[in-house]
Amino acid sequence: IDFDNPENFKKLDALEVEFEATGSYDVDVYINLDNAGWQNVGTINLASDTPTLPNTLPITLVSTNIVRKTFQLQQYGEFKKMQVRFVQDDRYATCNLHSYTCFAYIRPWRRE
């Protein structure tokens, strides 16, 4: 990820990920800024919050089976290029990534 501006530094803000809720599995989220090495930024659990039956009424129904989490990444500072990696260690689990969104501020160009 370089926001189509590879020469400018970016100030990292957050990373939002969306997975299909497929069970009580954990996915570790990593970032790599400017090829400096992979850093674990957190974990997201893919357990669904949909109600299971039988259940006592009233219950709250959800419209989608999506698990979403936002990781705050301001402490990682500036970068020019970023990579994102998702690791799920259970070989029998299903892990369906729907989307990820990186939020960052593009800095004005400066001489290095």
Side-chain angles (χ1 to χ4, degrees):
I1 301 170
D2 64 7
F3 296 96
D4 293 329
N5 204 336
E7 296 302 318
N8 289 43
F9 282 97
K10 292 88 179 163
K11 175 71 175 143
L12 192 54
D13 184 45
L15 177 70
E16 182 179 86
V17 297
E18 290 183 357
F19 286 91
E20 181 179 339
T22 55
S24 188
Y25 310 117
D26 289 332
V27 175
D28 293 317
V29 180
Y30 295 87
I31 60 171
N32 183 4
L33 304 178
D34 297 327
N35 292 322
W38 292 100
Q39 302 176 67
N40 187 328
V41 297
T43 301
I44 181 171
N45 187 280
L46 303 185
S48 173
D49 59 355
T50 57
T52 55
L53 298 175
N55 203 333
T56 9
L57 295 176
I59 59 174
T60 304
L61 297 177
V62 291
S63 61
T64 60
N65 204 18
I66 301 295
V67 177
R68 177 182 293 119
K69 186 169 183 179
T70 301
F71 299 95
Q72 299 301 320
L73 304 178
Q74 296 90 356
Q75 70 270 21
Y76 293 98
E78 293 184 333
F79 68 97
K80 285 189 174 183
K81 193 181 333 181
M82 178 174 119
Q83 294 174 304
V84 180
R85 179 169 68 180
F86 304 100
V87 177
Q88 199 282 339
D89 287 336
D90 188 341
R91 66 191 288 201
Y92 299 108
T94 302
C95 180
N96 296 325
L97 175 67
H98 280 229
S99 69
Y100 66 93
T101 307
C102 179
F103 298 95
Y105 170 75
I106 299 175
R107 302 267 190 192
W109 182 85
R110 67 178 185 245
R111 191 177 309 275
E112 292 183 40

